[in-house]
Amino acid sequence: MTTQVKWSLNPLKQGQSSIEFLSKSAIDKARNFHKSLPGYKETPLRSLDNLAKYLGVAKVCVKDESYRFGLNAFKVLGGSYAIGCYLASLLNKDIGELPFSVLTSPEVHRMLGDITFTTATDGNHGRGVAWTANKLQQKSVIYMPKGSAKSRLENIQSEGAKASITDVNYDEVVRLVAEDAKRHGWVMIQDTAWEGYEDIPTWIMQGYGTMAAEALEQMLISKGEPPTHIFIQAGVGSLAGAVQGYFASVLKEACPRVVIVESNQANCLFQSVQAGDGKPHFVTGELNTIMAGLACGEPNTISWEVLRDYSDMFISCPDIVAALGMRMLGNPLGNDSPIISGESGAVTLGLFALLMQDEQLLAVKQQLHLDENSRVLLFSTEGDTDPAQYRNIVWQGEFSYK
């Protein structure tokens, strides 16, 4: 297992790119919008004190996103805020003037007319877009990459979306959605940015900032101190960029050491930082990993600049690390709270545990200055969004990819 864990200190870290769009004021605006949504409630921050003692650190805190709006994942934060900002732009208003109760009013619907939102997704993001569109009495069309779980497809369809599984990988689905959106006049809500498509991915990242802001506030209230280390998972990097940018903007010189964690089958950010030229690099092929939410081969260009300039280390992991994290979170020590965490949600805990225990990874632990004073923050970004696979991994110790 440990021989497949690859790591790279970030030689490009300079703290030069602008993170003003992830400032406290920008994220507070997103958070206020989310508070206006039906069913908003802060997700819990679990303090795993027995695990922290066992692994030899001061604190291990896990933000449990399986409680987010009853959707079992954090992704709705990005899609809902991006849709809100898009509608605000059509109305020539600031999103701060448009709580959800106004956006869902008959008057606003008459002004906007009928809109179809579309996206590419492995499951969680598409469900969030479909949920938001349904609440707005609008339509959604969702495309999924080949190999997507039927349960995730059905969850999206249950939100009123027209959804289907394609026969191509995630990055090719993104291109397919872009083509169909242009052809049919749909609005694409995607967290992958490219030249000419940057506003919506920026809004999505700001939406994710709500989770980061909650976590920091919860740590300061309950623990009295911010984290010293953050391990954050990455697919295209939008979530990781949002978390990194928010903490760097708010805490400045006191920003925690941030470690970006990817699947070794879709490690485009790891390969980009290793290339050393400052440019994003792509990973192609099947992207076969149980971490479906991280199975992306092309970085978001906006988040890449944030991660390149501010993050401390990039680590690439095999699937077995995610499986370890799932079992550890679901079977806690002592009176630590159990956390139902899916494949993409648990990989950071699995990796952190390995770093603290495996002699072969001692150099990584030392480079990150992980010790008895460390306060570690992790984000479990999804629950058991594929229940059958969750049971296979946690109960049977079986999964499809290696």
Side-chain angles (χ1 to χ4, degrees), residues 161-198:
K162 180 180 179 182
S164 59
I165 298 173
T166 68
D167 60 356
V168 295
N169 73 19
Y170 174 83
D171 300 298
E172 292 169 321
V173 175
V174 171
R175 284 185 275 275
L176 177 61
V177 170
E179 292 169 1
D180 281 5
K182 185 176 181 179
R183 181 181 303 116
H184 298 296
W186 300 338
V187 180
M188 186 177 186
I189 306 295
Q190 203 69 46
D191 65 353
T192 302
W194 56 85
E195 186 175 353
Y197 186 78
E198 294 166 330

Short mmCIF file of all heavy atoms in Angstrom, two decimals, residues 161-198:
data_model
loop_
_atom_site.label_atom_id
_atom_site.label_comp_id
_atom_site.label_asym_id
_atom_site.label_seq_id
_atom_site.Cartn_x
_atom_site.Cartn_y
_atom_site.Cartn_z
N ALA A 161 -34.83 15.43 -12.28
CA ALA A 161 -33.95 15.66 -13.43
C ALA A 161 -34.12 14.58 -14.49
O ALA A 161 -34.48 13.44 -14.20
CB ALA A 161 -32.50 15.69 -12.97
N LYS A 162 -33.82 14.96 -15.71
CA LYS A 162 -33.63 13.99 -16.78
C LYS A 162 -32.15 13.62 -16.75
O LYS A 162 -31.29 14.45 -17.06
CB LYS A 162 -34.00 14.60 -18.14
CG LYS A 162 -33.83 13.64 -19.31
CD LYS A 162 -34.22 14.31 -20.62
CE LYS A 162 -34.01 13.36 -21.79
NZ LYS A 162 -34.36 14.02 -23.11
N ALA A 163 -31.84 12.42 -16.36
CA ALA A 163 -30.44 12.03 -16.12
C ALA A 163 -30.13 10.71 -16.80
O ALA A 163 -30.99 9.83 -16.91
CB ALA A 163 -30.17 11.91 -14.62
N SER A 164 -28.88 10.58 -17.26
CA SER A 164 -28.46 9.35 -17.93
C SER A 164 -26.97 9.11 -17.74
O SER A 164 -26.21 10.04 -17.48
CB SER A 164 -28.78 9.44 -19.44
OG SER A 164 -28.11 10.55 -20.02
N ILE A 165 -26.58 7.85 -17.88
CA ILE A 165 -25.17 7.46 -17.80
C ILE A 165 -24.65 7.28 -19.22
O ILE A 165 -25.25 6.57 -20.02
CB ILE A 165 -25.00 6.16 -17.00
CG1 ILE A 165 -25.47 6.37 -15.55
CG2 ILE A 165 -23.54 5.70 -17.02
CD1 ILE A 165 -25.49 5.10 -14.71
N THR A 166 -23.54 7.93 -19.54
CA THR A 166 -22.96 7.86 -20.88
C THR A 166 -21.94 6.72 -20.96
O THR A 166 -21.74 5.98 -20.00
CB THR A 166 -22.26 9.19 -21.22
OG1 THR A 166 -21.10 9.33 -20.38
CG2 THR A 166 -23.19 10.38 -20.98
N ASP A 167 -21.28 6.61 -22.10
CA ASP A 167 -20.25 5.57 -22.26
C ASP A 167 -18.85 6.17 -22.38
O ASP A 167 -17.96 5.56 -22.96
CB ASP A 167 -20.56 4.71 -23.49
CG ASP A 167 -20.59 5.51 -24.78
OD1 ASP A 167 -20.44 6.75 -24.72
OD2 ASP A 167 -20.77 4.90 -25.86
N VAL A 168 -18.65 7.38 -21.81
CA VAL A 168 -17.33 8.03 -21.85
C VAL A 168 -16.93 8.47 -20.44
O VAL A 168 -17.75 8.48 -19.52
CB VAL A 168 -17.33 9.26 -22.80
CG1 VAL A 168 -17.57 8.82 -24.24
CG2 VAL A 168 -18.39 10.28 -22.39
N ASN A 169 -15.63 8.85 -20.26
CA ASN A 169 -15.16 9.23 -18.93
C ASN A 169 -15.62 10.65 -18.56
O ASN A 169 -16.22 11.36 -19.37
CB ASN A 169 -13.65 9.07 -18.81
CG ASN A 169 -12.85 10.12 -19.56
OD1 ASN A 169 -13.34 11.18 -19.92
ND2 ASN A 169 -11.58 9.83 -19.81
N TYR A 170 -15.31 11.07 -17.34
CA TYR A 170 -15.84 12.32 -16.81
C TYR A 170 -15.47 13.52 -17.66
O TYR A 170 -16.33 14.35 -17.98
CB TYR A 170 -15.33 12.52 -15.37
CG TYR A 170 -15.72 13.87 -14.80
CD1 TYR A 170 -16.97 14.08 -14.24
CD2 TYR A 170 -14.83 14.95 -14.83
CE1 TYR A 170 -17.35 15.31 -13.74
CE2 TYR A 170 -15.20 16.19 -14.33
CZ TYR A 170 -16.44 16.37 -13.79
OH TYR A 170 -16.80 17.60 -13.30
N ASP A 171 -14.20 13.65 -18.02
CA ASP A 171 -13.78 14.83 -18.76
C ASP A 171 -14.43 14.90 -20.14
O ASP A 171 -14.73 15.99 -20.63
CB ASP A 171 -12.25 14.84 -18.87
CG ASP A 171 -11.59 14.88 -17.50
OD1 ASP A 171 -11.80 15.87 -16.77
OD2 ASP A 171 -10.89 13.92 -17.14
N GLU A 172 -14.66 13.73 -20.75
CA GLU A 172 -15.36 13.72 -22.03
C GLU A 172 -16.84 14.07 -21.86
O GLU A 172 -17.45 14.68 -22.74
CB GLU A 172 -15.19 12.34 -22.69
CG GLU A 172 -13.75 12.07 -23.13
CD GLU A 172 -13.51 10.63 -23.52
OE1 GLU A 172 -14.07 9.72 -22.86
OE2 GLU A 172 -12.77 10.40 -24.48
N VAL A 173 -17.42 13.69 -20.72
CA VAL A 173 -18.81 14.06 -20.43
C VAL A 173 -18.93 15.58 -20.30
O VAL A 173 -19.91 16.18 -20.77
CB VAL A 173 -19.32 13.36 -19.15
CG1 VAL A 173 -20.73 13.85 -18.81
CG2 VAL A 173 -19.35 11.85 -19.34
N VAL A 174 -17.94 16.20 -19.67
CA VAL A 174 -17.96 17.67 -19.55
C VAL A 174 -18.04 18.31 -20.93
O VAL A 174 -18.82 19.24 -21.16
CB VAL A 174 -16.71 18.17 -18.79
CG1 VAL A 174 -16.62 19.70 -18.86
CG2 VAL A 174 -16.75 17.72 -17.33
N ARG A 175 -17.24 17.81 -21.86
CA ARG A 175 -17.26 18.37 -23.22
C ARG A 175 -18.61 18.10 -23.90
O ARG A 175 -19.13 18.96 -24.63
CB ARG A 175 -16.11 17.78 -24.04
CG ARG A 175 -14.76 18.40 -23.68
CD ARG A 175 -13.64 17.91 -24.57
NE ARG A 175 -13.08 16.66 -24.08
CZ ARG A 175 -12.13 16.59 -23.14
NH1 ARG A 175 -11.64 17.68 -22.61
NH2 ARG A 175 -11.65 15.42 -22.76
N LEU A 176 -19.17 16.93 -23.66
CA LEU A 176 -20.47 16.60 -24.23
C LEU A 176 -21.55 17.53 -23.70
O LEU A 176 -22.40 18.04 -24.46
CB LEU A 176 -20.83 15.14 -23.90
CG LEU A 176 -22.20 14.64 -24.35
CD1 LEU A 176 -22.32 14.71 -25.87
CD2 LEU A 176 -22.44 13.22 -23.85
N VAL A 177 -21.53 17.80 -22.40
CA VAL A 177 -22.50 18.71 -21.80
C VAL A 177 -22.35 20.12 -22.38
O VAL A 177 -23.35 20.79 -22.69
CB VAL A 177 -22.34 18.74 -20.26
CG1 VAL A 177 -23.17 19.86 -19.65
CG2 VAL A 177 -22.75 17.40 -19.67
N ALA A 178 -21.11 20.57 -22.54
CA ALA A 178 -20.88 21.91 -23.09
C ALA A 178 -21.46 22.03 -24.50
O ALA A 178 -22.07 23.05 -24.86
CB ALA A 178 -19.38 22.22 -23.10
N GLU A 179 -21.27 20.98 -25.29
CA GLU A 179 -21.81 20.99 -26.66
C GLU A 179 -23.34 21.01 -26.66
O GLU A 179 -23.97 21.77 -27.39
CB GLU A 179 -21.30 19.76 -27.42
CG GLU A 179 -19.80 19.78 -27.70
CD GLU A 179 -19.29 18.44 -28.20
OE1 GLU A 179 -20.11 17.51 -28.34
OE2 GLU A 179 -18.06 18.32 -28.42
N ASP A 180 -23.94 20.16 -25.83
CA ASP A 180 -25.40 20.08 -25.80
C ASP A 180 -26.02 21.35 -25.21
O ASP A 180 -27.11 21.77 -25.63
CB ASP A 180 -25.85 18.85 -25.02
CG ASP A 180 -25.74 17.57 -25.85
OD1 ASP A 180 -25.24 17.66 -26.99
OD2 ASP A 180 -26.16 16.50 -25.38
N ALA A 181 -25.34 21.95 -24.23
CA ALA A 181 -25.85 23.20 -23.66
C ALA A 181 -25.90 24.29 -24.71
O ALA A 181 -26.87 25.05 -24.81
CB ALA A 181 -24.97 23.62 -22.48
N LYS A 182 -24.85 24.37 -25.50
CA LYS A 182 -24.81 25.37 -26.57
C LYS A 182 -25.88 25.10 -27.62
O LYS A 182 -26.56 26.01 -28.10
CB LYS A 182 -23.42 25.37 -27.22
CG LYS A 182 -23.23 26.45 -28.26
CD LYS A 182 -21.79 26.45 -28.78
CE LYS A 182 -21.57 27.55 -29.80
NZ LYS A 182 -20.17 27.57 -30.31
N ARG A 183 -26.06 23.83 -27.94
CA ARG A 183 -27.02 23.46 -28.99
C ARG A 183 -28.46 23.73 -28.56
O ARG A 183 -29.29 24.19 -29.35
CB ARG A 183 -26.85 21.97 -29.33
CG ARG A 183 -27.79 21.46 -30.42
CD ARG A 183 -27.60 19.98 -30.69
NE ARG A 183 -26.23 19.67 -31.05
CZ ARG A 183 -25.41 18.90 -30.34
NH1 ARG A 183 -25.83 18.37 -29.20
NH2 ARG A 183 -24.18 18.65 -30.74
N HIS A 184 -28.77 23.45 -27.29
CA HIS A 184 -30.16 23.52 -26.83
C HIS A 184 -30.48 24.79 -26.03
O HIS A 184 -31.64 24.99 -25.66
CB HIS A 184 -30.47 22.31 -25.95
CG HIS A 184 -30.35 20.99 -26.66
ND1 HIS A 184 -31.16 20.63 -27.72
CD2 HIS A 184 -29.49 19.95 -26.47
CE1 HIS A 184 -30.83 19.42 -28.14
NE2 HIS A 184 -29.81 18.99 -27.40
N GLY A 185 -29.47 25.62 -25.78
CA GLY A 185 -29.72 26.82 -25.00
C GLY A 185 -29.84 26.57 -23.51
O GLY A 185 -30.49 27.34 -22.79
N TRP A 186 -29.23 25.49 -23.03
CA TRP A 186 -29.25 25.19 -21.60
C TRP A 186 -28.15 25.98 -20.89
O TRP A 186 -27.23 26.51 -21.53
CB TRP A 186 -29.00 23.70 -21.37
CG TRP A 186 -30.00 22.78 -22.00
CD1 TRP A 186 -31.28 23.08 -22.39
CD2 TRP A 186 -29.80 21.39 -22.31
NE1 TRP A 186 -31.89 21.98 -22.92
CE2 TRP A 186 -31.02 20.92 -22.90
CE3 TRP A 186 -28.75 20.50 -22.17
CZ2 TRP A 186 -31.18 19.61 -23.31
CZ3 TRP A 186 -28.90 19.19 -22.57
CH2 TRP A 186 -30.11 18.75 -23.15
N VAL A 187 -28.23 26.03 -19.57
CA VAL A 187 -27.22 26.71 -18.76
C VAL A 187 -26.36 25.65 -18.07
O VAL A 187 -26.86 24.85 -17.27
CB VAL A 187 -27.87 27.63 -17.71
CG1 VAL A 187 -26.79 28.32 -16.87
CG2 VAL A 187 -28.75 28.66 -18.39
N MET A 188 -25.07 25.66 -18.38
CA MET A 188 -24.14 24.67 -17.83
C MET A 188 -23.63 25.13 -16.47
O MET A 188 -23.10 26.23 -16.32
CB MET A 188 -22.97 24.47 -18.80
CG MET A 188 -22.02 23.37 -18.40
SD MET A 188 -20.73 23.18 -19.68
CE MET A 188 -19.88 21.72 -19.05
N ILE A 189 -23.78 24.26 -15.45
CA ILE A 189 -23.31 24.55 -14.09
C ILE A 189 -22.19 23.56 -13.77
O ILE A 189 -22.42 22.47 -13.24
CB ILE A 189 -24.46 24.44 -13.07
CG1 ILE A 189 -25.63 25.33 -13.47
CG2 ILE A 189 -23.96 24.79 -11.67
CD1 ILE A 189 -25.33 26.81 -13.46
N GLN A 190 -20.95 23.94 -14.12
CA GLN A 190 -19.82 23.02 -14.01
C GLN A 190 -18.68 23.65 -13.23
O GLN A 190 -18.43 24.86 -13.36
CB GLN A 190 -19.32 22.65 -15.42
CG GLN A 190 -18.57 21.36 -15.48
CD GLN A 190 -19.49 20.17 -15.24
OE1 GLN A 190 -20.58 20.07 -15.79
NE2 GLN A 190 -19.05 19.27 -14.37
N ASP A 191 -17.99 22.85 -12.41
CA ASP A 191 -16.88 23.42 -11.63
C ASP A 191 -15.53 23.27 -12.32
O ASP A 191 -14.49 23.54 -11.72
CB ASP A 191 -16.83 22.81 -10.22
CG ASP A 191 -16.53 21.32 -10.21
OD1 ASP A 191 -16.48 20.71 -11.29
OD2 ASP A 191 -16.37 20.77 -9.10
N THR A 192 -15.54 22.88 -13.56
CA THR A 192 -14.32 22.85 -14.37
C THR A 192 -14.26 24.13 -15.20
O THR A 192 -15.18 24.42 -15.95
CB THR A 192 -14.31 21.63 -15.30
OG1 THR A 192 -14.41 20.44 -14.52
CG2 THR A 192 -13.03 21.58 -16.11
N ALA A 193 -13.18 24.89 -15.04
CA ALA A 193 -13.07 26.18 -15.74
C ALA A 193 -12.17 26.07 -16.96
O ALA A 193 -11.26 25.24 -17.01
CB ALA A 193 -12.50 27.24 -14.79
N TRP A 194 -12.43 26.87 -17.96
CA TRP A 194 -11.57 27.02 -19.11
C TRP A 194 -11.76 28.44 -19.64
O TRP A 194 -12.63 29.17 -19.16
CB TRP A 194 -11.87 25.97 -20.18
CG TRP A 194 -13.30 25.94 -20.65
CD1 TRP A 194 -13.88 26.71 -21.62
CD2 TRP A 194 -14.35 25.09 -20.16
NE1 TRP A 194 -15.20 26.41 -21.78
CE2 TRP A 194 -15.52 25.42 -20.90
CE3 TRP A 194 -14.41 24.09 -19.19
CZ2 TRP A 194 -16.73 24.77 -20.68
CZ3 TRP A 194 -15.62 23.46 -18.97
CH2 TRP A 194 -16.76 23.79 -19.71
N GLU A 195 -10.96 28.83 -20.60
CA GLU A 195 -11.03 30.19 -21.13
C GLU A 195 -12.44 30.46 -21.67
O GLU A 195 -12.95 29.72 -22.50
CB GLU A 195 -9.99 30.39 -22.23
CG GLU A 195 -9.91 31.82 -22.73
CD GLU A 195 -8.80 32.04 -23.73
OE1 GLU A 195 -8.00 31.11 -23.95
OE2 GLU A 195 -8.73 33.15 -24.30
N GLY A 196 -13.05 31.52 -21.18
CA GLY A 196 -14.39 31.87 -21.59
C GLY A 196 -15.48 31.27 -20.72
O GLY A 196 -16.66 31.61 -20.86
N TYR A 197 -15.11 30.37 -19.82
CA TYR A 197 -16.08 29.77 -18.89
C TYR A 197 -15.47 29.81 -17.49
O TYR A 197 -14.84 28.85 -17.03
CB TYR A 197 -16.41 28.33 -19.29
CG TYR A 197 -17.51 27.71 -18.45
CD1 TYR A 197 -18.85 28.03 -18.68
CD2 TYR A 197 -17.21 26.83 -17.42
CE1 TYR A 197 -19.86 27.48 -17.90
CE2 TYR A 197 -18.21 26.27 -16.63
CZ TYR A 197 -19.53 26.60 -16.88
OH TYR A 197 -20.52 26.05 -16.10
N GLU A 198 -15.64 30.94 -16.83
CA GLU A 198 -14.97 31.15 -15.55
C GLU A 198 -15.90 31.66 -14.45
O GLU A 198 -15.64 31.42 -13.27
CB GLU A 198 -13.80 32.12 -15.75
CG GLU A 198 -12.70 31.52 -16.62
CD GLU A 198 -11.70 32.55 -17.12
OE1 GLU A 198 -12.11 33.71 -17.30
OE2 GLU A 198 -10.53 32.19 -17.32
#
